[in-house]
C-alpha cells in the first residue's frame, strides 16, 4: 500500500504512538473518594394548591414525587373540621391500594417511582367545615404533574491529524491507539470517548501541495454515578463537573503533544496532531418525548420535561416541537 515502503515511515509512526503513550500516562488523575449511600435521599418538599391557577409539579423519572397537599397555603394553617379528600388523576380515581400511589389520612399525595405515563392533570376535591355550625365548604385544587429527567450532556470533539496515505493500515492502527489513550485519560471519571466517524481526505495546502489528513469526530460522555447509588464529595459525582474535567484532561493532552513534539530533535512522525484543530462543543440532549423550555417550565428551566399535549419530540434533541395532532404527554410522533 502507498507509504508503507517509504524509508522511515514505520519508524515515524512508532515515534508518534510513543509520544501519545508517554503523554497519556501522567494525565490520569487520582480519583476522589466516594461513599455508598445507605438509601435514597428523602424528599421533604411540600407543594400546596391554589384555587386561582393550576400548580405545576415536576417529578424526576423513577423517583417519588414531593408531598402534594390537598390544601391551599391559607388553609394549611387553619383548623379543618370533618375534612374529606378525594384525588383524581389522568386514569381516574386515585387510591392507596395502587402501589404507585400513597395518600395520607390528611389528603397528602405521594406518587411513587414516577413514570412517564403518570404525567397529566390531577385534581383534589376538598370538603370541610371551619366551624361545627357552618355548612360544608368545597374546593377543587388542580395540579399538572410532569415527569422530567436530567439532560444527557456530552462533548463533541473534532480534531485533525496529518496522516499516512489514506489506504494505509497505519491510519487504522493509529486510530485504535488514539481511542484507547483518550479513554484511558477519562476512565477515572467514569467517562468514555466514542469514535463517531473518521474520514481521510487529501487537503490542498495554502501555497503548497497536497497532504493526507484524518478528520476525527468523537463524543465524550460520562456515566451517571447516581445509578450506582454512590454519593460523591464536593459535587464530584455531578455529570457536568466530571465532563468538564474530562475536557480539561483531553485539551491538556493535545497541548502537551504539541509541546513535546517541539522539544524533540526527531523528525516529525508520519501521523501527528495538527495544532489548532481541536474543538470541543458542549451539547445537551433529551430523551425522545422530552424537551427543555425555560419559559414554559420556569420551575424546572434546565430539566428535560415531558412534552405536553400539542407537542412532541421525535429524537434526542432538546425541544418539544409544535403538533396540533398530539394529544398525549410524551409524544414522539406527530
Amino acid at each position: 500500500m502507498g507509504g508503507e515502503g517509504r524509508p522511515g515511515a514505520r519508524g515515524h509512526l512508532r515515534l508518534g504512538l510513543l509520544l501519545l503513550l508517554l503523554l497519556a500516562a501522567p494525565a490520569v488523575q487520582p480519583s476522589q473518594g466516594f461513599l455508598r449511600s445507605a438509601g435514597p435521599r428523602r424528599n421533604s418538599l411540600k407543594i400546596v394548591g391554589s384555587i386561582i391557577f393550576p400548580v405545576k409539579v415536576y417529578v424526576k423519572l423513577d423517583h417519588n414525587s414531593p408531598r402534594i397537599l390537598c390544601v391551599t397555603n391559607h388553609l394549611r394553617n387553619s383548623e379543618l373540621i370533618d375534612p374529606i379528600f378525594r384525588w383524581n388523576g389522568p386514569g381516574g380515581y386515585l387510591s392507596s391500594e395502587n402501589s404507585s400511589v400513597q395518600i395520607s389520612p390528611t389528603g397528602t399525595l405521594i406518587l411513587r417511582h414516577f413514570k412517564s405515563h403518570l404525567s397529566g392533570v390531577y385534581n383534589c376535591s376538598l370538603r370541610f367545615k371551619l366551624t361545627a355550625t357552618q355548612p360544608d365548604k368545597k374546593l377543587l385544587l388542580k395540579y399538572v404533574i410532569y415527569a422530567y429527567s436530567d439532560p444527557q450532556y456530552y462533548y463533541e470533539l473534532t480534531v485533525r491529524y496529518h496522516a499516512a496515505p489514506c489506504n494505509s493500515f497505519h491510519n487504522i492502527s493509529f486510530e485504535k491507539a488514539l481511542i484507547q489513550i483518550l479513554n484511558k485519560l477519562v476512565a477515572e471519571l467514569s467517562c468514555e470517548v466514542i469514535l463517531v466517524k473518521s474520514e481521510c481526505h487529501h487537503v490542498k495546502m495554502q501555497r503548497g501541495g497536497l497532504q493526507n489528513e484524518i478528520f476525527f469526530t468523537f463524543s465524550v460522555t460520562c456515566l451517571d454515578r447516581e445509578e450506582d447509588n454512590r454519593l460523591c464529595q464536593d459535587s464530584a459525582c455531578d455529570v457536568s463537573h466530571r465532563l468538564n474535567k474530562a475536557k480539561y484532561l483531553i485539551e491538556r493532552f493535545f497541548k502537551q503533544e504539541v509541546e513535546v513534539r517541539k522539544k524533540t530533535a526527531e523528525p516529525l512522525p508520519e501521523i501527528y496532531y495538527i495544532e489548532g484543530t481541536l474543538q470541543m462543543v458542549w451539547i445537551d440532549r433529551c430523551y425522545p418525548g422530552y424537551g427543555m423550555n425555560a419559559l414554559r417550565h420556569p420551575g424546572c428551566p434546565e430539566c428535560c420535561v415531558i412534552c405536553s399535549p400539542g407537542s412532541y419530540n421525535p429524537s434526542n434533541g432538546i425541544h418539544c416541537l409544535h403538533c396540533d395532532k398530539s394529544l398525549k404527554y410524551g409524544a414522539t410522533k406527530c
Side-chain angles (χ1 to χ4, degrees):
M1 294 184 213
E4 293 173 19
R6 285 164 40 188
R10 294 188 180 182
H12 289 178
L13 176 63
R14 285 196 294 270
L15 175 60
L17 292 175
L18 179 60
L19 286 173
L20 288 175
L21 292 169
L22 288 173
L23 288 167
V28 178
Q29 300 295 314
S31 61
Q32 301 189 31
F34 298 97
L35 300 173
R36 282 194 175 273
S37 170
R41 299 174 186 176
R42 303 185 68 177
N43 192 341
S44 59
L45 180 65
K46 296 180 180 180
I47 307 292
V48 297
S50 170
I51 59 174
I52 302 174
F53 52 83
V55 174
K56 294 181 178 180
V57 183
Y58 302 93
V59 185
K60 191 171 185 178
L61 279 173
D62 298 317
H63 287 63
N64 293 348
S65 74
R67 291 170 171 80
I68 306 171
L69 310 185
C70 187
V71 290
T72 62
N73 194 48
H74 173 72
L75 290 178
R76 185 180 179 185
N77 300 315
S78 301
E79 185 179 78
L80 306 182
I81 298 175
D82 297 330
I84 299 174
F85 310 93
R86 180 184 173 91
W87 279 97
N88 286 277
Y93 174 69
L94 296 181
S95 167
S96 291
E97 295 178 0
N98 187 326
S99 60
S100 64
V101 176
Q102 179 181 330
I103 301 176
S104 74
T106 56
T108 297
L109 171 67
I110 298 177
L111 299 170
R112 298 168 55 82
H113 310 297
F114 199 76
K115 303 295 183 183
S116 297
H117 70 272
L118 296 176
S119 299
V121 176
Y122 288 72
N123 294 305
C124 182
S125 62
L126 169 61
R127 180 186 299 232
F128 65 97
K129 296 177 181 179
L130 290 175
T131 66
T133 58
Q134 283 186 341
D136 288 351
K137 291 182 175 289
K138 297 180 182 179
L139 290 181
L140 182 65
L141 305 178
K142 184 176 180 180
Y143 303 81
V144 185
I145 303 182
Y146 300 92
Y148 80 91
S149 67
D150 294 326
Q152 307 299 300
Y153 310 113
Y154 72 98
Y155 271 109
E156 183 179 82
L157 183 162
T158 56
V159 65
R160 291 161 61 179
Y161 270 79
H162 185 280
C166 287
N167 62 349
S168 173
F169 74 90
H170 289 159
N171 293 335
I172 298 175
S173 299
F174 183 85
E175 177 184 298
K176 293 178 179 178
L178 180 60
I179 294 171
Q180 290 177 351
I181 290 166
L182 292 177
N183 273 292
K184 183 180 178 182
L185 288 176
V186 301
E188 289 287 342
L189 301 170
S190 296
C191 298
E192 63 179 346
V193 179
I194 299 173
L195 177 66
V196 177
K197 66 178 178 178
S198 65
E199 299 175 343
C200 187
H201 295 281
H202 305 295
V203 179
K204 169 67 171 68
M205 305 305 294
Q206 292 181 358
R207 299 182 181 180
L210 290 173
Q211 72 176 28
N212 304 305
E213 293 186 11
I214 304 177
F215 292 65
F216 288 111
T217 301
F218 300 95
S219 66
V220 185
T221 59
C222 291
L223 305 178
D224 190 353
R225 283 176 171 167
E226 192 174 323
E227 293 177 358
D228 297 332
N229 203 28
R230 290 188 289 182
L231 300 179
C232 307
Q233 297 176 352
D234 300 326
S235 301
C237 197
D238 180 68
V239 171
S240 60
H241 173 89
R242 290 183 286 121
L243 198 52
N244 280 317
K245 190 168 184 181
K247 176 177 182 286
Y248 164 77
L249 293 176
I250 291 171
E251 288 177 336
R252 189 178 72 169
F253 165 74
F254 284 101
K255 181 180 179 182
Q256 287 180 334
E257 182 178 345
V258 173
E259 292 174 351
V260 171
R261 196 169 67 224
K262 288 179 178 179
K263 292 178 181 178
T264 182
E266 296 289 336
L268 283 172
E270 186 171 38
I271 303 176
Y272 61 87
Y273 163 60
I274 300 175
E275 184 177 1
T277 62
L278 174 68
Q279 291 188 341
M280 296 190 71
V281 179
W282 178 280
I283 296 177
D284 294 327
R285 60 182 176 183
C286 297
Y287 294 119
Y290 287 74
M292 300 174 69
N293 189 329
L295 293 177
R296 184 180 181 90
H297 301 293
C300 210
E302 297 180 357
C303 306
C304 289
V305 180
I306 194 166
C307 297
S308 300
S311 64
Y312 76 112
N313 182 5
S315 63
N316 59 355
I318 61 170
H319 297 297
C320 295
L321 308 176
H322 180 76
C323 175
D324 291 330
K325 297 179 182 179
S326 171
L327 301 177
K328 67 177 184 177
Y329 287 85
T332 58
K333 296 180 181 179
C334 183

